[in-house]
């Protein structure tokens, strides 16, 4: 099972995500994510044997509980890229409010999952939602211009749970299914 831990954006934010992607429509080389599947990844786990899922679920529940994070509001805005504006592989929008809570959740999940033997993140955590991946640099200048000049607000959501998601890769892109939900108390 190919798994990750996420905060899924609600359906009512799909339209603003699509509208923001539309601003990048003229930038060749971008492969856009499905706005209906927009999410903020707290931890990518990769391939996980099915018999490890019960233990993983217990550890995720413990991680959420130990943070003491109650339901909170995230406001999504701003643009960014990974790894940097000179070499763009991912275009994303970030968080204005709620970043501290997301970071606490990420850190607790990171600690518990690395103790289980999952790979440690190789970079600092930046709460973000991926808009597109850059497959070639044809539209790089337009992307750079938009990231430098635009500061869009996508919307807000109440975060009251995190999810363990299975990602199945298909010819039409990834398909996501919720394996388990972990409510914030």
């Amino acid at each position: 099972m190919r798994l990750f831990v996420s905060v899924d954006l609600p359906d009512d934010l799909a339209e603003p995500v699509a509208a923001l992607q539309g601003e990048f429509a003229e930038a060749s080389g971008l492969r856009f994510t499905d706005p209906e599947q927009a999410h903020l990844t707290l931890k990518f786990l990769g391939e996980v044997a099915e018999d490890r899922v019960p233990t993983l679920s217990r550890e995720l529940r413990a991680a959420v509980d130990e943070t003491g994070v109650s339901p909170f509001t995230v406001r999504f805005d701003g643009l960014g890229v990974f790894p940097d504006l000179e070499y763009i592989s991912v275009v994303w929008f970030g968080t204005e409010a709620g970043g501290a809570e997301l970071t606490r959740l990420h850190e607790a999940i990171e600690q518990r999952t690395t103790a289980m033997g999952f790979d440690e993140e190789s970079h600092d955590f930046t709460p973000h939602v991926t808009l597109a991946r850059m497959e070639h640099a044809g539209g790089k200048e337009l992307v750079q211009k938009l990231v430098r000049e635009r500061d869009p607000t996508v919307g807000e959501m109440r975060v009251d749970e995190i999810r363990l998601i299975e990602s199945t890769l298909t010819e039409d892109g990834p398909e996501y299914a919720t394996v388990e939900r972990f409510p914030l108390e």
Side-chain angles (χ1 to χ4, degrees):
M1 302 174 75
R2 187 171 184 264
L3 300 176
F4 63 91
V5 182
S6 74
V7 170
D8 294 354
L9 273 63
D11 293 343
D12 65 342
L13 289 183
E15 192 173 311
V17 170
L20 183 55
Q21 288 174 328
E23 295 186 35
F24 290 86
E26 300 297 316
S28 70
L30 290 180
R31 181 173 39 90
F32 293 100
T33 57
D34 180 351
E36 304 277 330
Q37 295 184 335
H39 64 275
L40 188 149
T41 301
L42 292 170
K43 173 71 177 175
F44 179 75
L45 299 163
E47 292 295 329
V48 179
E50 202 166 331
D51 63 354
R52 292 189 76 196
V53 172
T55 302
L56 174 61
S57 291
R58 277 194 304 278
E59 291 298 312
L60 291 174
R61 173 79 265 152
V64 168
D65 288 347
E66 73 191 19
T67 65
V69 172
S70 299
F72 61 99
T73 298
V74 173
R75 187 169 64 248
F76 295 104
D77 58 8
L79 291 169
V81 297
F82 292 134
D84 58 53
L85 277 172
E86 206 44 52
Y87 177 79
I88 300 167
S89 63
V90 174
V91 181
W92 50 266
F93 61 90
T95 62
E96 174 68 25
E101 292 89 343
L102 292 165
T103 299
R104 281 182 26 218
L105 287 165
H106 162 77
E107 288 171 351
I109 291 165
E110 179 75 1
Q111 183 178 17
R112 292 267 179 176
T113 57
T114 54
M116 289 181 67
F118 289 97
D119 290 342
E120 188 174 349
E121 292 291 337
S122 59
H123 49 78
D124 290 339
F125 178 68
T126 302
H128 71 280
V129 177
T130 299
L131 280 173
R133 290 182 175 26
M134 185 157 259
E135 296 181 328
H136 65 76
K140 177 177 158 183
E141 288 180 5
L142 177 56
V143 172
Q144 289 170 326
K145 177 180 177 1
L146 288 169
V147 169
R148 284 186 182 116
E149 296 177 4
R150 293 278 290 121
D151 189 20
T153 297
V154 176
E156 291 187 352
M157 70 172 284
R158 187 88 173 141
V159 177
D160 57 9
E161 69 178 9
I162 66 168
R163 296 181 187 185
L164 178 62
I165 302 290
E166 180 178 11
S167 173
T168 304
L169 301 178
T170 72
E171 286 182 15
D172 298 328
E175 291 181 2
Y176 301 137
T178 300
V179 176
E180 193 163 345
R181 298 169 191 265
F182 302 92
L184 302 179
E185 306 285 329

